[in-house]
């Protein structure tokens, strides 16, 4: 039997799937406004010959209903993205921060997490009772405030939120197109935790799924909550069958291939790979690099992601980047040690992003130099 066209060229099929995604899943209502903001921002920095990093951060959701009450979420607090953004700004980049709404943001992250409530940094002045920053935190907060003000003054940080995986994909594509004029000066740092599975618009029910059998609806096509599925039509992706909630998700098309080959062919592209099984990490990171042919995969394990990451690239091979031994725990944790046992309970004394970002910026400088036909100074 002759092989089919898709067997000859799987990537053609993948491209078609992704294009199909954008014709069958609706554009988010505020997309045009967000893209306009980004265009102005990018043009401004392109004129100033500044490098621009698009950082994605936080997890995407998969709504189960159109009028969403229930959704599936992806793990990510936004620490990697928000922390990296600060170091990219420090390295002279302009940053588009594409983040999950209400996840951690550059600068405010120091005071907004549940373990870092901003009120704990404040006190009443013994002089007049006014609310002031506690003397213990003056130096640290003053530094963060200065860097935050500088980013605002120089207009180097653009915050764009997403919630669902659909919003994320539309935004990523739209922003990538806007970044094309930057050529090699554009950089994608894809730290967001993006859903691998989703509910396509045509299989999404409109209303809240009813758990009580008395209220199950029989209609299909996304307008009811019933199982439906007669006449060869697929049932809504989330529906009740008797007392059980059935969730049947479609795979999210592999957008990284299109980003690399079509949406941003000249930019530097860095993806992250998260695993929990240590024995899979290196293989999976290598596999992603081979499959998508981009510049760098940064592998990390859930429990040790703040202590060590694995860089995998064609030029550099495989290289672990680790918080130096002896600086692995904050003294406040009282658990100084070199081992990475119980690390999820502790915070490193050095932010690993302060090691990751300069490495990435160095690789980016080489790519830019190569694209301009010169050597890095
Ligand atoms: O946001 P966070 O700091 O809690 O976690 C960051 C991360 C682990 C989500 C990120 O480093 C990452 O690996 N992102 C890609 C996840 C993936 O494999 O899709």
């Amino acid at each position: 039997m002759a092989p089919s066209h898709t067997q000859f060229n799987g990537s053609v099929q993948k491209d078609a799937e992704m294009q199909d995604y954008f014709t069958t899943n609706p554009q988010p209502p505020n997309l045009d406004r967000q893209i306009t903001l980004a265009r102005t921002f990018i043009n401004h920095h392109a004129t100033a010959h500044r490098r621009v990093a698009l950082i994605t951060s936080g997890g995407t959701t998969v709504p189960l209903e159109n009028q969403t009450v229930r959704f599936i979420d992806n793990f990510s607090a936004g620490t990697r993205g928000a922390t990296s953004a600060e170091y990219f700004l420090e390295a002279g980049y302009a940053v588009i921060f594409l983040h999950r709404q209400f996840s951690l943001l550059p600068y405010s992250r120091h005071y907004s997490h549940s373990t870092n409530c901003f009120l704990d940094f404040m006190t009443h002045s013994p002089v007049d009772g006014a609310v002031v920053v506690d003397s213990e935190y003056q130096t640290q907060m003053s530094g963060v405030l200065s860097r935050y003000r500088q980013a605002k003054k120089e207009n180097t940080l653009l915050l764009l939120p997403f919630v669902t995986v659909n919003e994320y994909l539309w935004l990523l594509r739209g922003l990538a197109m806007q970044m094309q004029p930057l050529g090699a000066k554009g950089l994608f740092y894809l730290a967001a935790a993006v859903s691998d599975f989703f509910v396509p618009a045509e299989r999404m029910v409109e209303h809240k799924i009813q758990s009580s059998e008395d209220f199950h609806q029989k209609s299909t096509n996304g307008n009811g909550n019933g199982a439906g599925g007669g006449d060869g039509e697929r049932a809504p992706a989330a529906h009740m069958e008797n007392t059980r909630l059935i969730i049947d998700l479609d795979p999210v098309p592999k957008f990284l291939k299109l980003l690399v080959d079509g949406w941003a062919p000249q930019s530097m592209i860095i993806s992250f790979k998260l695993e929990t099984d240590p024995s899979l990490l290196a293989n999976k990171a290598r596999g992603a690099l081979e499959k998508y042919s981009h510049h760098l995969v940064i592998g990390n394990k859930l429990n040790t992601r703040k202590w060590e990451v694995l860089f995998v690239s064609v030029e550099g091979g495989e290289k672990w980047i680790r918080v130096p031994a002896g600086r692995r725990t904050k003294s406040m944790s009282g658990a100084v040690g070199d081992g990475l046992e119980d690390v999820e309970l502790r915070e490193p004394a050095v932010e690993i992003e302060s090691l990751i970002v300069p490495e990435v910026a160095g690789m980016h400088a080489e790519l830019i130099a190569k694209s301009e036909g010169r050597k890095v100074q």
Side-chain angles (χ1 to χ4, degrees):
M1 194 174 74
S4 70
H5 177 65
T6 52
Q7 278 171 301
F8 272 133
N9 191 348
S11 74
V12 171
Q13 189 196 15
K14 295 264 176 300
D15 292 3
E17 274 170 21
M18 198 74 227
Q19 298 304 356
D20 194 40
Y21 178 93
F22 291 109
T23 51
T24 53
N25 292 281
Q27 171 177 327
N30 60 352
L31 182 79
D32 290 341
R33 200 184 70 82
Q34 288 174 298
I35 297 297
T36 303
L37 285 174
R39 185 182 309 123
T40 310
F41 183 84
I42 292 164
N43 288 345
H44 172 71
H45 292 294
T47 310
H49 304 289
R50 203 172 261 130
R51 291 158 299 165
V52 179
L54 172 67
I55 298 179
T56 72
S57 180
T60 61
T61 70
V62 174
L64 298 184
E65 303 122 340
N66 204 19
Q67 296 190 37
T68 309
V69 175
R70 301 188 178 95
F71 57 88
I72 298 172
D73 209 344
N74 258 56
F75 160 85
S76 171
T79 315
R80 174 81 76 224
T83 310
S84 301
E86 289 182 22
Y87 289 106
F88 274 110
L89 287 161
E90 217 170 278
Y93 282 77
V95 170
I96 300 174
F97 192 64
L98 181 59
H99 66 283
R100 165 72 176 275
Q101 187 183 40
F102 308 133
S103 65
L104 292 178
L105 295 177
Y107 305 117
S108 70
R109 74 180 169 100
H110 297 274
Y111 312 106
S112 64
H113 195 267
S114 54
T115 57
N116 266 347
C117 172
F118 73 97
L119 291 172
D120 291 331
F121 295 81
M122 317 301 285
T123 188
H124 285 108
S125 158
V127 180
D128 58 3
V131 176
V132 291
V133 173
D134 196 315
S135 56
E136 195 185 331
Y137 305 113
Q138 286 284 344
T139 310
Q140 192 257 8
M141 197 180 270
S142 164
V144 174
L145 183 64
S146 302
R147 293 193 294 278
Y148 171 71
R149 287 238 170 103
Q150 190 183 353
K152 283 201 116 172
K153 192 169 127 218
E154 294 175 356
N155 183 28
T156 45
L157 177 60
L158 177 66
L159 305 177
L160 295 177
F162 64 79
V163 177
T164 67
V165 65
N166 186 50
E167 288 169 1
Y168 176 88
L169 292 174
W170 275 95
L171 270 163
L172 184 67
R173 183 177 76 151
L175 295 172
M177 308 283 195
Q178 296 304 320
M179 285 187 50
Q180 280 183 3
L182 292 164
K185 286 211 168 92
L187 179 143
F188 289 76
Y189 186 84
L190 306 173
V194 182
S195 322
D196 288 325
F197 303 97
F198 80 121
V199 174
E202 80 251 18
R203 294 209 300 128
M204 174 111 65
V205 294
E206 178 64 22
H207 294 291
K208 182 185 167 199
I209 300 159
Q210 296 297 322
S211 55
S212 159
E213 287 185 73
D214 298 344
F215 292 94
H216 287 182
Q217 293 180 28
K218 297 287 173 251
S219 62
T220 58
N221 278 342
N223 291 320
N225 296 334
D231 299 334
E233 199 177 84
R234 286 181 74 192
H239 62 263
M240 298 299 297
E241 281 182 19
N242 302 319
T243 55
R244 296 162 67 86
L245 173 64
I246 308 296
I247 299 180
D248 166 27
L249 303 175
D250 282 17
V252 170
K254 299 291 179 206
F255 62 89
L256 194 49
K257 190 78 200 146
L258 271 196
L259 179 69
V260 175
D261 293 342
W263 303 343
Q266 291 179 300
S267 302
M268 176 163 190
I269 298 180
I270 298 144
S271 70
F272 279 77
K273 171 69 57 197
L274 174 65
E275 291 298 336
T276 55
D277 180 345
S279 69
L280 292 181
L281 185 68
N283 271 343
K284 295 281 295 275
R286 245 178 267 129
L289 192 74
E290 273 162 29
K291 191 163 170 188
Y292 301 113
S293 316
H294 53 313
H295 300 93
L296 172 66
V297 179
I298 303 181
N300 51 178
K301 287 170 277 170
L302 184 65
N303 292 343
T304 58
R305 69 192 188 283
K306 293 183 182 174
W307 280 263
E308 57 180 14
V309 296
L310 176 64
F311 272 39
V312 183
S313 67
V314 171
E315 280 82 16
E318 287 175 27
K319 178 166 123 180
W320 282 96
I321 296 203
R322 294 192 164 97
V323 171
R327 309 221 52 206
R328 286 196 170 163
T329 52
K330 272 186 183 160
S331 53
M332 63 179 248
S333 74
V336 179
D338 291 340
L340 294 179
E341 321 78 39
D342 304 328
V343 286
E344 64 269 36
L345 304 174
R346 302 184 263 124
E347 288 289 321
V350 171
E351 291 177 324
I352 194 164
E353 291 78 7
S354 70
L355 310 174
I356 296 174
V357 172
E359 285 278 338
V360 168
M363 290 173 73
H364 191 204
E366 276 178 26
L367 185 83
I368 295 170
K370 205 164 145 196
S371 77
E372 293 170 352
R374 58 177 174 82
K375 284 204 157 54
V376 186
Q377 287 115 25

